Amino acid sequence: MIRIVAETGFGYAVTTPAASITWTDITQFVDIASSGISITRGRQDEQAEVQAGTMTLALDNSDGRFTPGRASSPYYPNVRKNTPIRLRVITTAKNLLVNPGFESGITAWTSSGTPTRAASATHVHDGTQAMLITWGAVASQTVTSPVVHGLQIGQRYTYSTYVWVPAGHATVQLSVAGGNLGSANTLFDQFQRISVSWIATATSAQVRVRAVGTPAAGNQVWVDAGQIEEAAAATAYDSDGAQESARFWGMVNSWPVQWGGLQAKTTITCTDVFKRLARAPELRTMLTEEVMLDEPLAYYPLTEPSDATSAGDLSGTTAGTLSVSAVGSGGELAFSAENAGPDRLGALTLTPASASNGKFMTADLGQDYETRSRLAYMFHEWWFSTTTVSRVMFGLTSSDNRYQIVYSLNGSGQLTIETTEFGDVLLGTSVVTASLADGQQHHVVYDELSQRVWIDGVSYVVSVTLMVGLRHLTLGAFTNSRLWSGTLSHLALYAPDVPALSSYVGHYTTGTTGHVGESGSARASRIAGYVGATVTATGGTFDGIGSQAALGSSPLSHLQDVERTEGGVLIAARDSSSIVLQSRDIRYNPVSSLSILYADLETAGVEFNDDDQRLVNTVVASRPGGATQLVKDDDSRDAYGPYEQAITLLKTSDAEVVDAAQWLVNRYADPPPEMRQMPVEASTLGTTTYRALLTADVSSVFTVTSLPGEAPSSSTTVTVEGYTESIRHAQHHLNFHVSRTDSTTVWVLNDPTYSVLDQTTRLAY
């Protein structure tokens, strides 16, 4: 029998952490007998791109519970698209309890009332530790197991465990949550096995250890060697408890209502979190995305197209648009999409005719900002460049003009903050620095809370009057005078409950370096974070990544750029909403995790192939802003003709690009025969082998032995690239897409296996 656990997170988003989701067990409604479950994962081969994983399953909808918008559904109104869903397979010889002997801890159990739990080696029935429960002096105290899955409705089960109760302490009994009670222990100062039986009415249950009556404070019991089994009474204890293997995590695309005659069903197709990353809006520049993560109340990147006549707010609040105003005559105001701003990706350029003749911009920041500026401290951030002193960058005023704050450069080119509390003369505080009117880009963060200004990442103490109720923004001037001459960009205004000062200041690094050179794992985490996703990095050291400052495509596209540059694999996790990024060295000289006889595959479809599908003997490689270089294998070109591939990688040097190109040609100039599919009927194998197959994922390694005599060799070692699987009541068919593992073997000096001249002396990078 194949045991599954299907759960949905009605009312939650797919990126919500699993621990924060209240999962609904829908296992009993899954049609595993006739329709079964189909899953796809990974890629077809090692040169292909990983595709979004999918899962299809049919649900019994005879009571309309899976009908969207149906008010009588127990899940109403949360039967909706993109609902989180996860699937696991349970393997066990008999015992359905996970961690039955508490060898991996006791944290999964919970207490009701006042009992405490601890791992203890004082009295142990099996293994090295037991769970020690200490009762309080109240009635109805229980300790409850985690949810036990894999039950069959209508089947009788028995939960048994060994308990050690000291003489004079309260007796204990077992129970099923919401159901039966078992008999209490009758022996003391020794282990005694107690049990409780019940008939399952659901596919999952929880069991409990409970104190009988009201124990005295400090009464104790040691609990060990628990077992849940399909039986009317307890049988011999099996310490190898159940193992739950994640098969899919993603979202339900839709909930179609269908009928087969009078039988209503819902066949759902689900997609993993690649879907969300691919469908997310195109990312703006890296600097803009970093600022938006800190949730400004008003944010004007000022990177509009060159023909724009106004500037928009990206904060999503009620902050108004910046519109053009003018004083006197002459002067120009223009947006530049090229070679301007800190990241050279755009800025507002102001060129007045004089200090009192030209153009500037104004905006009403709205009621939200005005209200917040009465309740919280202000944090202001912006970038500028100029060669002109004694000019104003921007100013903020309250609706009644009582409070005013103005940021300018004084006659020495130093940042000056001018304020008034009563609408009178502005009083200024200057920051003693070298002149900032040097034509370079400068970054400023003003922290009203701690009375500090950060200029280009350096902190300076200031003394500035606190402002209240600010609402109106004037950019590039103040009171129609001291018109700014230069560029302004990325003006962000914050009024948070909890300031993220280090992030605000850290935007200086983003703007000046674009984080060029940070590791592939760090870059992937950065990009995923822009859409609330997380990345789990596996493997060894990741290469540094070049500039992605402009971004401009979907998050998935940019993550795949990182994946290609690293030469690793990017794939959605099977057990969470995370993305997994594997480094390329995870495949260097790997150790096989499973050896399986060809005969034990028990399925047709195994074949070897020797063709030009993966042949690459010429690579044209480049990087943005770097050289275009060609790497080739002349012997392969002479034998087969040119098989060319062009690659663009975000490497930080031309030498790294050549290394990557040589690695590609070395592996694929003349690929030998290889197995490409490894189909296996997993359900017919022993528990250990079955679990190994369920644990396998992309980049896992298998060895198939005792191949037929017609095969190129008697055994072969292969690396998993992806798979399809079909799960039914008594069948679990896995078809692994595989590649030759030895294509990624690398030279290890003096090693008997990986130092064979002209065979395993391939240099990796």
Side-chain angles (χ1 to χ4, degrees):
M1 182 176 67
I2 304 299
R3 303 174 191 268
I4 65 164
V5 186
E7 296 172 302
T8 48
F10 289 117
Y12 295 89
V14 72
T15 53
T16 304
S20 300
I21 295 177
T22 300
W23 292 98
T24 300
D25 190 338
I26 61 169
T27 306
Q28 69 186 82
F29 304 103
V30 177
D31 179 6
I32 195 173
S34 56
S35 297
I37 301 169
S38 298
I39 297 174
T40 65
R41 179 170 174 79
R43 57 188 180 179
Q44 199 67 31
D45 61 69
E46 74 269 34
Q47 293 179 349
E49 199 168 71
V50 171
Q51 302 298 310
T54 63
M55 177 176 71
T56 301
L57 53 83
L59 300 169
D60 177 4
N61 193 33
S62 57
D63 61 358
R65 65 177 54 233
F66 298 114
T67 301
R70 193 171 189 268
S72 60
S73 166
Y75 316 132
Y76 177 84
N78 294 317
V79 180
R80 62 192 187 197
K81 50 191 166 291
N82 292 344
T83 293
I85 187 168
R86 65 182 183 181
L87 183 86
R88 288 166 288 166
V89 167
I90 299 171
T91 52
T92 181
K94 177 170 66 173
N95 192 349
L96 286 168
L97 274 178
V98 176
N99 186 29
F102 305 103
E103 297 305 298
S104 59
I106 50 91
T107 56
W109 289 65
T110 57
S111 300
S112 174
T114 59
T116 61
R117 294 163 289 113
S120 172
T122 303
H123 299 296
V124 177
H125 185 272
D126 186 81
T128 61
Q129 65 181 27
M131 178 171 65
L132 169 62
I133 302 172
T134 302
W135 306 109
V138 295
S140 302
Q141 295 179 76
T142 61
V143 173
T144 303
S145 74
V147 176
V148 178
H149 296 284
L151 308 183
Q152 281 186 289
I153 295 174
Q155 173 69 46
R156 178 170 289 279
Y157 291 87
T158 293
Y159 167 46
S160 60
T161 194
Y162 288 85
V163 295
W164 176 295
V165 179
H169 289 221
T171 58
V172 297
Q173 61 186 158
L174 305 181
S175 68
V176 181
N180 297 13
L181 286 173
S183 299
N185 67 288
T186 57
L187 303 177
F188 299 89
D189 292 333
Q190 61 182 291
F191 272 111
Q192 180 182 1
R193 197 179 200 187
I194 59 176
S195 64
V196 62
S197 294
W198 81 102
I199 295 177
T201 57
T203 54
S204 60
Q206 288 180 281
V207 292
R208 292 171 173 161
V209 179
R210 56 186 294 126
V212 177
T214 303
N219 277 191
Q220 294 181 316
V221 58
W222 280 261
V223 181
D224 197 12
Q227 180 162 283
I228 293 179
E229 57 186 307
E230 293 180 359
T235 64
Y237 172 63
D238 181 0
S239 61
D240 183 18
Q243 178 175 295
E244 296 184 356
S245 301
R247 305 312 299 161
F248 184 83
W249 175 297
M251 64 196 85
V252 180
N253 297 330
S254 65
W255 299 88
V257 180
Q258 307 154 315
W259 290 267
L262 298 178
Q263 179 67 37
K265 67 176 182 177
T266 296
T267 301
I268 58 175
T269 298
C270 315
T271 309
D272 67 25
V273 294
F274 264 33
K275 172 186 173 181
R276 182 173 183 271
L277 294 172
R279 293 181 62 87
E282 293 179 350
L283 294 175
R284 298 175 174 86
T285 69
M286 183 177 286
L287 181 54
T288 293
E289 294 293 344
E290 296 281 340
V291 172
M292 291 176 66
L293 279 179
D294 294 320
E295 300 181 343
L297 279 179
Y299 174 41
Y300 300 95
L302 303 172
T303 54
E304 275 73 10
S306 58
D307 59 351
T309 57
S310 60
D313 160 60
L314 295 185
S315 69
T317 67
T318 56
T321 299
L322 276 165
S323 56
V324 178
S325 297
V327 59
S329 61
E332 295 181 356
L333 179 154
F335 294 96
S336 173
E338 295 182 2
N339 205 34
D343 49 13
R344 321 307 289 177
L345 296 173
L348 172 67
T349 301
L350 296 161
T351 311
S354 67
S356 57
N357 288 273
K359 298 177 181 179
F360 56 96
M361 305 191 83
T362 59
D364 180 349
L365 297 176
Q367 186 61 52
D368 282 357
Y369 188 83
E370 180 178 1
T371 300
R372 286 297 302 167
S373 70
R374 295 181 186 277
L375 301 174
Y377 290 101
M378 299 183 306
F379 293 80
H380 298 158
E381 174 190 6
W382 71 99
W383 292 79
F384 72 88
S385 69
T386 186
T387 56
T388 306
V389 299
S390 302
R391 300 296 177 92
V392 169
M393 287 173 272
F394 68 96
L396 297 163
T397 62
S398 59
S399 295
D400 58 6
N401 285 323
R402 175 176 176 176
Y403 292 94
Q404 303 174 10
I405 184 168
V406 179
Y407 298 97
S408 63
L409 294 185
N410 64 17
S412 299
Q414 297 168 332
L415 176 68
T416 301
I417 305 175
E418 305 166 71
T419 60
T420 178
E421 190 176 356
F422 302 103
D424 296 329
V425 177
L426 290 167
L427 299 176
T429 297
S430 296
V431 181
V432 180
T433 62
S435 175
L436 301 176
D438 56 4
Q440 303 301 309
Q441 288 289 329
H442 295 287
H443 178 244
V444 181
V445 174
Y446 168 55
D447 174 3
E448 185 181 51
L449 174 61
S450 66
Q451 290 289 281
R452 302 181 77 85
V453 169
W454 298 76
I455 301 176
D456 298 341
V458 179
S459 174
Y460 301 88
V461 176
V462 294
S463 179
V464 178
T465 303
L466 302 183
M467 297 285 101
V468 178
L470 300 178
R471 177 158 182 161
H472 298 283
L473 167 65
T474 303
L475 185 72
F478 199 73
T479 60
N480 293 339
S481 63
R482 294 188 286 168
L483 272 67
W484 182 254
S485 178
T487 68
L488 295 168
S489 61
H490 298 285
L491 172 62
L493 309 177
Y494 310 89
D497 291 325
V498 180
L501 180 61
S502 61
S503 292
Y504 310 153
V505 175
H507 297 160
Y508 174 66
T509 301
T510 303
T512 54
T513 71
H515 302 285
V516 169
E518 69 179 344
S519 69
S521 56
R523 179 64 59 80
S525 293
R526 183 181 302 280
I527 292 171
Y530 297 153
V531 290
T534 59
V535 171
T536 300
T538 61
T541 303
F542 288 81
D543 272 2
I545 304 296
S547 176
Q548 289 179 289
L551 295 177
S553 297
S554 71
L556 181 58
S557 175
H558 291 300
L559 287 169
Q560 289 170 333
D561 287 340
V562 175
E563 172 195 25
R564 280 189 292 272
T565 300
E566 168 56 32
V569 180
L570 184 80
I571 193 165
R574 291 186 299 194
D575 59 354
S576 73
S577 59
S578 181
I579 300 296
V580 176
L581 177 63
Q582 301 174 347
S583 66
R584 63 179 177 274
D585 59 9
I586 202 172
R587 295 189 172 210
Y588 290 172
N589 303 343
V591 177
S592 179
S593 62
L594 173 67
S595 180
I596 187 169
L597 292 168
Y598 168 78
D600 285 343
L601 299 180
E602 292 195 9
T603 180
V606 174
E607 67 176 41
F608 281 75
N609 214 322
D610 182 19
D611 58 23
D612 62 356
Q613 179 179 321
R614 303 181 192 180
L615 199 156
V616 179
N617 56 30
T618 308
V619 175
V620 179
S622 62
R623 68 185 180 98
T628 298
Q629 304 173 86
L630 186 142
V631 174
K632 59 189 175 71
D633 184 291
D634 289 329
D635 290 341
S636 176
R637 287 168 62 93
D638 291 343
Y640 306 115
Y643 281 74
E644 185 171 304
Q645 182 173 323
I647 57 174
T648 299
L649 305 176
L650 302 176
K651 298 291 188 182
T652 56
S653 72
D654 293 332
E656 289 179 316
V657 174
V658 169
D659 289 343
Q662 289 176 332
W663 177 239
L664 186 60
V665 170
N666 285 344
R667 294 170 63 197
Y668 299 115
D670 191 4
E674 65 178 355
M675 180 188 289
R676 293 184 179 168
Q677 298 294 133
M678 192 188 110
V680 55
E681 181 46 56
S683 62
T684 63
L685 303 173
T687 301
T688 300
T689 303
Y690 188 18
R691 286 177 173 175
L693 290 168
L694 293 176
T695 302
D697 201 355
V698 174
S699 297
S700 293
V701 176
F702 298 147
T703 299
V704 182
T705 63
S706 300
L707 287 162
E710 298 81 6
S713 60
S714 61
S715 67
T716 185
T717 301
V718 294
T719 300
V720 176
E721 304 297 343
Y723 58 80
T724 61
E725 66 181 303
S726 174
I727 304 173
R728 293 180 180 272
H729 178 69
Q731 181 189 67
H732 193 162
H733 185 79
L734 286 157
N735 190 0
F736 292 100
H737 311 311
V738 296
S739 61
R740 287 183 66 104
T741 301
D742 60 12
S743 70
T744 55
T745 56
V746 300
W747 192 359
V748 178
L749 192 62
N750 296 325
D751 186 278
T753 301
Y754 300 113
S755 189
V756 180
L757 189 63
D758 293 331
Q759 295 183 37
T760 59
T761 51
R762 182 191 294 114
L763 291 174
Y765 84 107

